[in-house]
């Protein structure tokens, strides 16, 4: 529990001003609309520690790779989400003195993120150094309906007698990325204009040449009797992703002007309704546990803010629009963690867009594999990407954490299992699966010594092991991919022979040579096992490690990734996140419950959960094997990861993709939801103190409300 | 063979000017005196492609680490040898036009490095754009006797009628390192002064605060009748390593003034004599093979230029004073490759200085190990160092290429075997060996699964494998270290009990606990083996790789490190440099000849020799097993690596440390020299076309000349 935040079922609330927590709060109170987002920076000047952040989905910059020791195959650039113009700015002067909470004395402070309605409100009373006391209320939102609009109202009242207030709204386009590799600026200036009631700036990214225009329409009204000044600011934000560059300013102006015409109160009402409508088919209600309730709604809220499925060029960055870290690019998180959430809350079409994102990038994945020495249409999807090109440069990850290819195949399977949309295979899926299967076929080695296929030099989901041989999870998902690719192609061949023919011709696929090769691998793959313990081995040689349990680790040594040198972590048996268990989660029907329980007990006790993606999968498996205390502990850890700042890094941004895992922990874990033969099934196991659990599920065109009681 | 260079037994000769080869020649014709060195840059202005380089041993700069993804345990800085003031500069104008071979037409060009006398001479005739034709002779050297002196004579004759010649000697201290991580300057300006006949500059390195002063005394004489101008430049170069900072300028001036007083011809004569004297006890003469002869003398010459054993703070950088690459720091190359050369050519004292360098850095090695989580006086020597601190930042090398610790122990053994100086153990060696043994003891893991000790997560000498388990070589040398450390300590205990007591007290050594633990490891260590082939396995799982021979590799794929992605190299069976074979070389007496031959044939056929340190060890083993064709091929490759530029990188500098390996290939390979029970033994096997081989060996105080005939 975070004693600093108020526990509330629908709101995130802060009731005092703590300069040391400004950056953390900026992350936690972020707002967005799937198209753009804004950290909860103060509107007025703030000279204390802050991380200004405003981001526009799909607008990125290829930052030149920084590396100590270059390895062949590294990409030249890391595509990064861009910190862009600070459009919320207001300079406030009272009797000539700047209002700045860093220099003023804050008498009273309240900030609220209304997750139900997508609104950020802040109220404070402050005494300036010149002794004038002011009361401020700032409310703002990024419109869910008008996706190119940001709107805010900033109201200031002088409490201590007469004072002259000057209020000057501004847009500051002179911004930098904190994570720039070489401290360069990523934007070029294009144009600006200003009038007493408006300001506009157009900027263009260097190299990638995305243009963005911010057009702000201002309205200031004074009520001298109440000593109150109110500023309305309507900002149209348009980018060359959606407009001809020459029309950007006109389009942005139109958005702002239309908003002004409609008026702030109406826009606010629109926003409330739009969000209520969203919640009406994706809320999760937990009875008897406000912390758990707040946690899950925070996760859902952030996911809805980050991705709406309206644009196949966008995806879900690990930090969404809440920070720069990880470059805002796409990871396997999307396929392994986010797809189930969007499928069940936003519907088939939204999840389909996420799949198509990878389909559209298939040529780049083939190019990527070719660069690494593969051939014949083998596809390796990048570890991190913005536009399909690999961005990562750490050999043990970039070249070796190849299980990501499996997650991309699995997402297709998962989508079809859920939606029944088998035709997706013919339209897009089969080609992706074939490219992935071809990759595995070449990445695998025939070991003469063992008379088995082996997979050498990989990094599994557990990144606390690098360059291992025969990671069980990777071997397993590779074989699964080969089988599923073949089955999928056979289905297309049978049900859409014309389309099949076209695919075969396009890909130069040779059925009689490739299929038998795939099946030979499936049949003769080596899977490491510990016979005595009857568990799957994370990789060859795992049992050579000193076997210590996490509970026996000195807490002063945690987190390991901050306390231990990298080689020590690698040599240890400690696990960062689900690895063998990720496989048992994905493919649970392939294993009996005792096998799952045995492996869970062995591996969970060695897992330090130092990845945000770790606790959720463990929570689901714990619930499955009936270890409800463990499941609940892990659930709280995942759903309140950022609210309670377990990893001491929320100031950098939120862990968006793991939030989808938290949702899975509730729905698949506690409610036990599965899709079996085209039907939803449930096996509820609520934590003891939960009075009830209810939620909405969008399944095959129908939104159902599910209710479970203790 | 390099058709560009003239084959000559004592000289390196270039007979034409090729702008594309300027940088390569600058490396090849470098001069030095063990204290400082200078690339063969032109004295006069040159505006074409060039890599100016002037280096002073022990003067370094801690350049801030550049890394893509930080890992715990990385050092903050990489200490780098500094490119320092360009003291050879002469600006020459003829009729107001700058002499610059990049713009002039070169009519005639000759450059010669006289290895016998340590002199660099260049002569050329050039027509300037203004049509004036000049003839130049430049001769320079870095004095072997007066280690703070550089001297040069620059003589210009106008060939085409009258012309006005202006000649302006200068020192340019405005220099940068090409390999600066953040493009920063490493030097601060301190002071300068000038008179018509002198110039002086004092600079100080940022952060590390080394001061250096260059003081040049000039003398210009004209012979108008011969239309000849001659410049003599005597440059004193003093550093705060050897002088009080306040005295630097005075000291440098004294060196220059004294040199001027003595005069150029006398200095030249001194230099000739000093070098002749050196050669008198380290020359290697090969009859009937000028290429081989030139190759080996080039190697010896460079080694003599790089290190003289006069200063225990200095060591042998992989590029010596010929380039910036590798930071000019110390690697395990010194112990594994250079010690035998200096032992046999320069004598016990010089090799002892190299050993003491590591002894002096023992506290830093203990600190380094502590930083990585080891304790109780365990020492891990750095992969790369200037002052004892680790400089490298690549986890698979920095933290895992720990066999370097073994080489440092082996050098002590090797030194004592050669010199009989057992007392070195009591004075210094035992402490180093104990720190190393303690490291191995902690770095090894008891595998319950195997009931054997294992060593997880290492990189062997073959850096084309990373993070492997049970690298045979590392396991072997680790056990050897444990045994040798114990034996050495027992010897000290017995023969110098007082000293032993002092060591035990200083190191808190617990005989009754530590020795048995060491011996337990020695007894129960796991060594991977291939039973069918009866070979030692490079590491666990090596035989799972696809087994291809180098001879079957497509030449278009070579060198692999330029053509293949890193993961592909790691997955392949191809070997960069001797690994198992390095162990068989070090510990040949532990194995019968058939075992050596079997392993040699297996591994050599999979080795691509993409490290400069590779061919020499293979040449020695090939000679040992009687494969003389292979031995000769590999010898040429090692001894003429730079002259013939096998690796296409000589422009960056020379491979100094591998030159010691070339010497070993002749002496230990073809002459079969060994030390057995305090005696030198020989087993000569000369390549067929060598008429004779003779060389000098300094052994236990006596310099012997050895002669072998076909």
């Amino acid at each position: 529990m975070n004693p600093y935040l108020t526990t509330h079922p629908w709101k995130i609330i802060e009731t005092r001003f703590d300069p040391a927590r400004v950056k953390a709060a900026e992350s936690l109170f972020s707002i967005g609309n799937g198209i753009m987002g804004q950290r909860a920076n103060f509107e007025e000047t703030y000279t204390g520690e802050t991380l200004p952040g405003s981001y526009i989905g799909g607008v990125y910059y290829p930052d030149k790779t920084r590396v100590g020791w270059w390895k062949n195959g590294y990409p030249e650039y890391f595509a990064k989400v861009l910190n862009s113009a600070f459009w919320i700015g207001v300079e406030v002067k009272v009797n000539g003195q700047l209002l700045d909470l860093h220099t003023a004395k804050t008498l009273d402070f309240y900030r609220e993120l209304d997750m139900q309605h997508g609104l950020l409100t802040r109220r404070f009373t402050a005494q300036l150094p010149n002794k004038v006391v002011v009361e401020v209320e700032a409310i703002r939102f990024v419109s869910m309906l008008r996706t190119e609009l940001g709107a805010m109202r900033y109201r200031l009242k002088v409490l201590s007698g007469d004072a002259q207030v000057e209020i000057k709204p501004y847009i500051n386009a002179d911004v930098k990325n904190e994570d720039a590799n070489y401290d360069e600026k990523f934007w070029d200036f294009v144009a600006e204009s200003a009038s007493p009631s408006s300001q506009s700036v157009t900027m263009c990214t260097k190299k990638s040449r995305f243009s963005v225009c911010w057009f702000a329409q201002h309205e200031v009204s004074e009520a001298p009797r109440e000593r109150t000044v109110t500023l309305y600011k309507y900002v149209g934000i348009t980018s060359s992703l959606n407009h001809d560059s020459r029309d950007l300013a006109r389009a942005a102006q139109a958005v702002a002007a239309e908003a002004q015409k409609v008026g702030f109160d109406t826009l606010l009402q629109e926003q409330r309704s739009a969000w209520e409508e969203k919640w009406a088919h994706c809320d999760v209600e937990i009875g008897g546990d406000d912390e758990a309730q707040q946690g899950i709604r925070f996760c859902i809220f952030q996911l809805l803010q980050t991705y709406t499925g309206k644009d196949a060029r966008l995806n879900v960055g690990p930090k969404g629009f809440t920070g720069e870290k990880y470059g805002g690019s796409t990871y396997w998180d999307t396929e392994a963690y986010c797809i189930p959430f969007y499928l069940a809350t936003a519907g088939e079409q939204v999840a389909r867009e996420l799949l198509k994102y990878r389909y559209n990038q298939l040529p780049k994945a083939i190019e990527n594999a070719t660069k690494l020495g593969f051939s014949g249409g083998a596809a390796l999807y990048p570890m991190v990407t913005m536009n399909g090109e690999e961005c990562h440069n750490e050999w043990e990850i970039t070249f070796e954490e190849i299980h990501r290819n499996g997650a991309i195949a699995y997402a297709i399977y998962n989508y079809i299992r859920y939606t029944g949309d088998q035709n997706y295979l013919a339209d897009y899926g089969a080609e992706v699966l074939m490219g992935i299967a071809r990759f595995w076929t070449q990445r695998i080695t025939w070991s003469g010594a063992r008379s088995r296929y082996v997979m050498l030099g990989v990094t599994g989901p557990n990144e606390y092991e690098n360059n291992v041989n025969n990671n069980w999870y990777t071997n397993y998902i590779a074989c699964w991919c080969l089988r599923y690719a073949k089955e999928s192609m056979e289905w297309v061949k049978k049900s859409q022979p014309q389309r099949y023919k076209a695919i075969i011709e396009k890909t130069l696929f040779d059925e009689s040579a490739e299929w038998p090769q795939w099946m030979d691998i499936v049949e003769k793959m080596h899977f490491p096992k510990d016979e005595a313990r009857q568990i799957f081995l994370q990789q060859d040689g795992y049992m050579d490690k000193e076997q210590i349990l996490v509970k026996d680790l000195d807490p002063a040594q945690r987190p390991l990734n901050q306390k231990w040198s990298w080689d020590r972590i690698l040599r240890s048996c400690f696990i960062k996140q689900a690895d063998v268990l990720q496989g048992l989660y994905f493919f649970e029907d392939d294993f009996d419950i005792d096998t799952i329980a045995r492996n869970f007990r062995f591996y969970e006790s060695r897992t330090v959960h130092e990845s945000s993606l770790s606790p959720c999968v463990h929570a689901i498996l714990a619930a499955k094997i009936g270890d409800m205390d463990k499941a609940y502990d892990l659930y709280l850890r995942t759903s309140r990861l950022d609210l309670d700042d377990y990893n001491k890094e929320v100031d950098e941004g939120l862990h968006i993709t793991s939030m989808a895992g938290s949702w899975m922990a509730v729905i698949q874990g506690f409610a036990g939801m599965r899709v079996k033969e085209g039907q939803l099934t449930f096996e509820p196991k609520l934590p003891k103190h939960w009075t009830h659990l209810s939620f909405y599920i969008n399944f095959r065109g129908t939104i159902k409300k599910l209710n479970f009681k203790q």
Side-chain angles (χ1 to χ4, degrees), chain A:
Chain A
M1 209 193 85
N2 186 336
Y4 185 73
L5 298 174
T6 308
T7 304
H8 183 290
W10 276 112
K11 292 177 174 175
I12 309 300
I13 296 169
E14 207 185 18
T15 54
R16 59 196 175 91
F17 175 65
D18 178 351
R21 287 174 182 271
V22 165
K23 284 167 75 175
E26 286 171 350
S27 299
L28 289 167
F29 291 81
S30 289
I31 52 174
N33 67 356
I35 302 300
M36 58 185 176
Q38 169 68 48
R39 282 170 61 86
N41 309 117
F42 297 159
E43 288 86 354
E44 75 280 353
T45 306
Y46 183 67
T47 57
E49 275 273 327
T50 170
L51 175 63
S54 184
Y55 312 99
I56 298 166
V59 173
Y60 62 86
Y61 176 79
D63 198 16
K64 191 160 172 282
T65 297
R66 187 178 67 194
V67 62
W69 303 84
W70 189 269
K71 307 276 191 202
N72 256 355
Y74 277 169
E76 298 288 328
Y77 297 102
F78 194 121
K80 283 183 179 163
V81 71
L82 281 161
N83 194 4
S84 59
F86 188 75
W87 56 268
I88 59 172
V90 186
E91 193 186 276
V92 179
K93 280 187 180 162
V94 184
N95 284 349
Q97 188 159 59
L98 211 54
L99 172 59
D100 170 3
L101 290 190
H102 189 58
T103 58
K105 186 170 165 194
T106 306
L107 305 174
D108 197 43
F109 185 90
Y110 176 87
R111 175 151 52 180
E112 159 192 310
L113 178 65
D114 178 351
M115 302 188 284
Q116 197 171 12
H117 304 111
L119 300 174
L120 173 63
T121 306
R122 183 170 56 112
R123 291 187 206 104
F124 64 86
T125 313
Q127 185 181 47
L128 277 74
N130 63 12
K131 302 299 176 197
V132 180
V133 178
V134 297
E135 185 188 88
V136 169
E137 186 195 67
I139 176 163
R140 73 169 184 256
F141 57 91
V142 181
S143 173
M144 221 4 129
L145 271 188
R146 304 165 189 256
T147 54
E148 297 178 325
L149 177 71
M152 56 180 266
R153 187 181 71 201
Y154 193 90
R155 179 176 284 161
L156 181 139
K157 184 172 182 174
V158 177
L159 297 185
S160 55
D162 278 343
Q164 174 158 7
V165 176
E166 292 165 79
I167 200 156
K168 197 171 96 189
Y170 68 88
I171 296 168
N172 175 20
D174 183 20
V175 292
K176 261 181 148 178
N177 267 46
E178 271 214 337
D179 68 349
N181 280 341
Y182 294 92
D183 208 29
E184 293 169 319
K185 281 215 177 173
F186 296 165
W187 292 97
D188 280 333
F189 171 80
V190 177
E192 62 182 333
S193 72
S195 82
S197 63
S198 73
Q199 184 195 356
S200 147
V201 188
T202 305
M203 303 291 287
C204 180
T205 59
K206 294 176 201 278
K207 294 183 192 161
S208 47
R209 308 314 282 166
F210 292 105
S211 297
V212 180
C213 175
W214 291 263
F215 191 101
Q217 198 69 51
H218 320 131
E219 214 177 279
V220 179
S221 68
E222 298 194 39
R225 249 210 321 225
E226 286 95 37
R227 295 197 286 248
T228 299
V229 185
T230 306
L231 162 73
Y232 294 93
K233 189 166 174 180
Y234 306 96
V235 188
I237 304 174
T238 53
S239 86
S240 56
L241 281 174
N242 302 310
H243 298 270
D244 186 305
S245 287
R246 290 158 303 181
D247 288 337
L248 277 190
R250 210 176 329 161
Q253 178 169 23
V255 169
E258 173 67 16
Q260 188 177 22
K261 206 174 101 194
V262 170
F264 192 77
D265 292 342
T266 307
L267 293 172
L268 201 68
Q269 201 42 58
E270 272 181 18
Q271 175 79 347
R272 290 172 160 275
S273 307
W275 272 95
E276 281 172 7
E277 212 172 282
K278 280 198 169 279
W279 284 107
H281 54 81
C282 66
D283 190 23
V284 172
E285 203 177 288
I286 294 173
D289 189 340
D290 282 352
E291 274 195 275
Q293 174 68 77
Q294 187 182 34
I296 192 64
R297 286 216 177 102
F298 184 65
C299 293
I300 296 170
F301 176 73
Q302 291 298 344
L303 287 161
L304 297 177
Q305 290 206 120
T306 302
Y307 185 77
T308 58
K310 289 178 185 157
D311 186 339
R313 294 166 299 183
L314 304 185
N315 208 293
V316 189
K319 297 263 163 215
F321 298 117
T322 70
E324 297 171 9
K325 211 178 168 186
Y326 304 117
S329 303
T330 306
Y331 289 66
W332 70 292
D333 303 25
T334 295
E335 281 75 17
Y337 296 89
C338 300
I339 292 269
F341 170 79
Y342 290 110
L343 262 178
T345 60
E348 184 173 327
Q349 199 50 43
V350 169
R352 207 174 202 257
E353 287 298 310
L354 285 173
L355 297 190
K356 273 175 62 189
Y357 177 91
R358 297 293 193 177
Y359 174 77
N360 291 337
Q361 297 183 352
L362 178 58
K364 293 274 190 196
I366 292 172
E367 195 181 309
N368 185 36
T370 307
K371 196 171 154 189
L372 300 186
F374 300 90
S375 57
L380 174 60
Y381 279 91
M383 190 65 203
V384 184
T385 194
M386 190 67 88
N387 58 8
E389 285 169 22
E390 179 62 86
C391 285
H392 203 78
N393 59 306
E394 206 177 12
W395 64 267
E396 64 274 21
I397 307 285
T398 312
F399 306 148
E400 298 205 338
E401 202 174 332
I402 52 177
H403 67 81
R404 60 192 186 243
N405 244 12
I408 286 162
Y410 186 81
I412 297 174
Y413 162 78
N414 212 7
Y415 165 81
I416 294 174
R417 174 171 66 169
Y418 194 91
T419 62
D421 176 19
Q422 198 83 20
N423 284 328
Y424 183 81
L425 290 177
D427 295 348
Y428 308 109
E431 282 180 64
V432 170
L433 293 170
M434 186 201 300
I436 289 173
R438 284 169 154 178
F439 171 79
W440 291 124
T441 309
Q442 293 173 41
R443 188 55 164 76
I444 279 160
T445 303
W446 175 254
S447 162
R450 299 191 198 234
S451 292
R452 288 263 134 194
Y453 289 99
V454 293
M455 186 148 25
L456 306 177
V458 304
T459 294
N462 168 24
E463 291 170 333
Y464 286 179
E465 300 278 355
N466 292 158
N467 193 48
V468 301
N469 296 332
N470 296 304
N471 171 260
W472 182 88
Y473 170 76
T474 308
N475 284 14
Y476 199 89
I477 206 166
C479 285
W480 175 86
C481 286
L482 293 169
R483 280 200 312 270
Y484 183 58
K486 177 158 174 279
E487 282 167 23
S488 300
M489 291 175 68
E490 285 169 338
W491 182 87
V492 178
K493 183 177 184 181
K494 200 174 129 203
S495 54
Q496 300 197 27
Q498 281 309 310
R499 173 69 188 136
Y500 183 72
K501 196 159 162 272
I503 294 173
I504 295 296
E505 277 167 15
K506 176 179 171 188
T507 55
L508 305 174
F509 189 76
D510 180 352
E511 255 182 29
S512 63
E514 298 191 57
W515 280 348
Q517 195 187 2
W518 297 1
M519 290 307 104
D520 196 53
I521 293 169
V522 167
E523 201 181 306
K524 297 177 190 151
M525 177 63 94
H526 161 64
F527 291 103
K529 240 188 202 172
D530 182 284
E531 293 295 346
R533 289 172 188 80
Q534 281 293 298
I535 53 164
F536 305 117
L537 270 191
Q538 191 178 264
Q539 75 253 3
D540 281 354
Y542 180 79
M543 291 311 300
D544 279 342
K545 290 163 180 278
E546 194 181 1
Q547 297 296 325
I548 310 175
L549 304 186
V550 173
K551 69 177 172 57
D552 298 325
L553 258 177
D554 177 358
Q557 304 281 300
R558 306 282 306 275
L560 298 182
N561 64 18
Q562 287 171 27
K563 302 297 170 78
W564 283 11
S565 68
W566 189 244
D567 61 310
R568 190 173 177 192
I569 290 177
L570 292 181
R571 284 200 308 282
S572 83
C573 71
F574 298 115
I575 298 169
K576 185 183 180 195
Q577 72 183 92
D579 194 296
V580 166
L581 298 184
Q582 184 77 35
L584 299 184
Y585 164 65
F586 274 170
F587 304 109
E588 57 177 356
D589 294 339
D590 295 0
F591 307 98
D592 62 52
I593 190 82
D594 289 345
T595 301
I596 293 175
R598 264 195 320 274
N599 280 278
F600 180 84
R601 289 201 193 96
F602 183 83
Y603 286 110
E604 203 282 329
S605 60
R606 286 159 175 80
T607 301
V608 290
H609 300 298
E610 290 179 11
S611 158
S612 67
L613 297 172
S614 186
C616 55
V617 170
H618 287 86
I620 297 168
L621 289 174
K624 184 177 175 90
I625 66 169
D627 187 344
M628 299 314 295
D629 288 345
K630 179 66 87 182
Y632 182 71
D633 276 2
L634 290 166
Y635 164 70
L636 268 199
R637 189 174 169 131
T638 175
S639 74
R640 295 187 60 90
L641 177 72
D642 288 321
L643 288 177
D644 296 347
D645 201 6
Y646 280 94
N647 291 2
K648 306 281 168 245
E649 56 183 20
V650 75
D651 53 323
E652 298 173 339
L654 307 176
H655 297 84
I656 299 296
T657 46
S658 79
M659 292 177 174
S662 304
W663 178 90
M664 296 197 301
V666 175
I667 307 303
Q668 301 178 359
F670 299 129
M673 184 177 95
R674 297 290 187 279
V675 183
K676 293 199 171 147
E677 293 165 13
Q679 303 290 325
L680 285 186
T681 68
F682 295 89
E683 201 178 324
K685 292 177 187 172
L686 305 197
K688 276 190 246 87
H689 60 294
W690 288 14
T691 56
H692 72 278
L693 167 65
S694 64
F695 53 85
Y696 297 89
I697 290 293
N698 186 335
F699 184 70
R700 304 207 174 182
T702 314
I703 295 171
K704 307 184 188 201
K705 180 163 187 182
L706 283 307
N707 275 293
F708 300 99
K709 289 212 180 336
Q710 191 57 260

